[in-house]
Amino acid sequence: VQPSLLKGAARSVSNSVDIDRSNFNFIPIARFEYKFSRQSNITFNYSGRSAEPGISQILPFEVSTNRTTTTLGNPDLDPEFRHSMNVRFRTGDFQKGKSFFAMLRSEITQDKIVSLNKRYRARSEVLIQDIGYINESEPVYNINSFYHWSRSLKEKTYNLMYGGGLSYARTISYLTDNPDASLANNNTAAGFDKGINNNTTLTQMLFFRYNPSENLEINSGVRYNYTWTASTLPDFAAANTQKIVPNIIGSVNITPTTIFGADVSKEFNSGYRTNANPFIINSFIEQRFLKDQRATVRLQGFDLLNQQTNINRTVGEILRDSQTNRLARYFMLTFTFKLQKFSGINPMEGQGQFPGHRRPRM
């Protein structure tokens, strides 16, 4: 059970309103598991979650964050309710280095709180944006799947990993360029164009790891991502996007106490409205010394070519491609000293990692 209470007062220069909202939600939770063997099982989980609207979404008067953007809340908004379902299947022979994992997850939202977006040109040709909110009567949902297969050979000297997934999201948005369209029509969207947005993403990945000894480790692989985007909104033009990212991570003991490593990756992006294909090189060299190699000095260099850029696409009432330049090239010098002797076995080893795949020393 989930009671909720939102109480207080909101005031602006010319408006004042008292807020008193309370709800009580009964949320079912279910879990089922069937074990085929000690290393093979399937589980099913269901849960629900209620999400109350935010303050800005229920204020009945206009709020301006700047001269061109105004928000008008809807005090009649109901909380949205999300149904989440998750199925997982796991099998393999971990002693022989075989494993397979698959997952299917879905989420359906009732009374989804969606935006009413009104965009028009003022006499000064400045773009004005007014935003309102309603509860959507149609369900909004998304489905995600993922699978991973791995195989280790020759006492985990060679490791092959393959995986991927397919995801689909259906969202709803409203848009108009009519300056006379009202944002306060008794929880309706009169005068707005309704857009049903569909976004499908295919992801594939293939990795190979070679680890003949503690003195050499090489991890190579490639990730592939393809996205289909479509909407019923007028003048909604979207190109499908593609991303291919090959990479290689490796480390080698130059001497028994000196280790050199590098992480190299290259992105190939297409279909975005912004153009960036960064080539990223990270590297390190470390020296271990003192008894039992308990002290380590490491010098790391990140993004040596100074090309770190992230490209992202957001699908809603408009399609938005963004390019973000993060903190790029920098260097870090660290000193580590082990104050305690351990057994050499990581108590968390194997948790959250695929069989036969040791976390790189980077």
Side-chain angles (χ1 to χ4, degrees):
V1 293
Q2 181 192 61
S4 65
L5 175 64
L6 180 61
K7 192 171 184 178
R11 297 178 177 85
S12 67
V13 175
S14 57
N15 296 279
S16 176
V17 63
D18 292 326
I19 300 172
D20 190 357
R21 293 172 57 96
S22 61
N23 282 287
F24 187 86
N25 298 289
F26 175 78
I27 302 174
I29 299 174
R31 184 177 187 273
F32 172 81
E33 178 179 2
Y34 182 81
K35 293 185 177 181
F36 302 96
S37 65
R38 293 184 60 184
Q39 298 183 347
S40 180
N41 71 326
I42 186 171
T43 60
F44 171 83
N45 291 276
Y46 166 81
S47 63
R49 182 160 63 97
S50 179
E52 295 286 341
I55 290 290
S56 62
Q57 294 176 324
I58 62 174
L59 289 181
F61 54 80
E62 294 184 347
V63 177
S64 297
T65 56
N66 53 60
R67 293 183 179 182
T68 60
T69 303
T70 301
T71 299
L72 176 62
N74 180 1
D76 298 323
L77 282 179
D78 293 323
E80 58 185 35
F81 193 87
R82 303 172 188 173
H83 303 269
S84 299
M85 290 152 283
N86 192 348
V87 179
R88 296 173 180 265
F89 175 74
R90 179 179 64 92
T91 188
D93 188 333
F94 303 126
Q95 298 298 325
K96 295 181 180 180
K98 301 178 181 179
S99 71
F100 178 78
F101 168 83
M103 177 271 294
L104 179 65
R105 177 181 300 162
S106 63
E107 184 177 85
I108 302 175
T109 305
Q110 295 177 310
D111 296 321
K112 176 70 175 179
I113 299 174
V114 298
S115 300
L116 303 177
N117 290 271
K118 180 169 64 175
R119 294 185 176 92
Y120 56 95
R121 296 284 179 180
R123 293 182 179 179
S124 59
E125 294 301 316
V126 175
L127 181 63
I128 304 297
Q129 178 175 349
D130 297 333
I131 303 173
Y133 303 95
I134 63 170
N135 287 110
E136 175 55 43
S137 58
E138 292 187 35
V140 175
Y141 58 88
N142 63 77
I143 302 173
N144 299 281
S145 63
F146 178 78
Y147 65 92
H148 183 275
W149 172 86
S150 66
R151 182 74 168 94
S152 298
L153 301 171
K154 200 176 179 180
E155 298 181 351
K156 300 182 180 181
T157 299
Y158 305 96
N159 295 271
L160 184 64
M161 289 159 282
Y162 175 71
L166 186 67
S167 64
Y168 171 77
R170 180 182 187 269
T171 60
I172 295 177
S173 56
Y174 293 86
L175 185 66
T176 186
D177 57 3
N178 181 5
D180 298 323
S182 175
L183 297 176
N185 280 331
N186 298 320
N187 213 15
T188 63
F192 287 79
D193 294 317
K194 181 177 182 178
I196 300 177
N197 311 310
N198 301 280
N199 202 55
T200 305
T201 301
L202 170 69
T203 302
Q204 296 290 287
M205 59 191 75
L206 176 65
F207 293 96
F208 174 76
R209 174 173 169 263
Y210 177 60
N211 186 208
S213 68
E214 288 295 323
N215 298 323
L216 176 65
E217 179 178 351
I218 299 175
N219 294 272
S220 62
V222 61
R223 296 177 183 269
Y224 176 77
N225 183 288
Y226 193 90
T227 301
W228 296 266
T229 303
S231 176
T232 60
L233 282 172
D235 302 325
F236 188 101
N240 297 333
T241 63
Q242 178 178 262
K243 182 190 292 286
I244 303 175
V245 185
N247 75 289
I248 182 169
I249 303 174
S251 62
V252 59
N253 286 54
I254 300 174
T255 70
T257 59
T258 305
I259 302 174
F260 172 79
D263 178 356
V264 180
S265 66
K266 172 65 177 179
E267 286 190 15
F268 298 92
N269 298 296
S270 61
Y272 295 93
R273 297 175 181 176
T274 181
N275 184 28
N277 298 291
F279 183 32
I280 308 300
I281 300 178
N282 304 319
S283 184
F284 78 91
I285 186 168
E286 71 174 38
Q287 178 66 46
R288 300 175 181 178
F289 54 97
L290 298 184
K291 184 180 179 181
D292 299 326
Q293 301 182 9
R294 299 178 67 179
T296 302
V297 174
R298 172 182 284 204
L299 176 63
Q300 292 176 274
F302 298 88
D303 191 14
L304 299 181
L305 300 181
N306 201 30
Q307 295 187 17
Q308 180 64 67
T309 302
N310 288 340
I311 294 181
N312 182 55
R313 167 163 289 184
T314 303
V315 180
E317 70 279 357
I318 62 172
L319 184 144
R320 180 183 295 110
D321 286 343
S322 60
Q323 178 175 324
T324 305
N325 298 325
R326 301 191 304 178
L327 173 63
R329 181 169 52 207
Y330 66 98
F331 298 88
M332 181 180 296
L333 180 65
T334 59
F335 172 76
T336 305
F337 182 77
K338 299 178 182 179
L339 298 174
Q340 183 178 358
K341 293 183 179 180
F342 297 94
S343 62
I345 300 177
N346 182 0
M348 301 300 291
E349 186 175 357
Q351 299 188 22
Q353 299 183 38
F354 300 115
H357 184 264
R358 180 164 61 88
R359 191 178 297 274
R361 291 181 287 185
M362 288 289 291

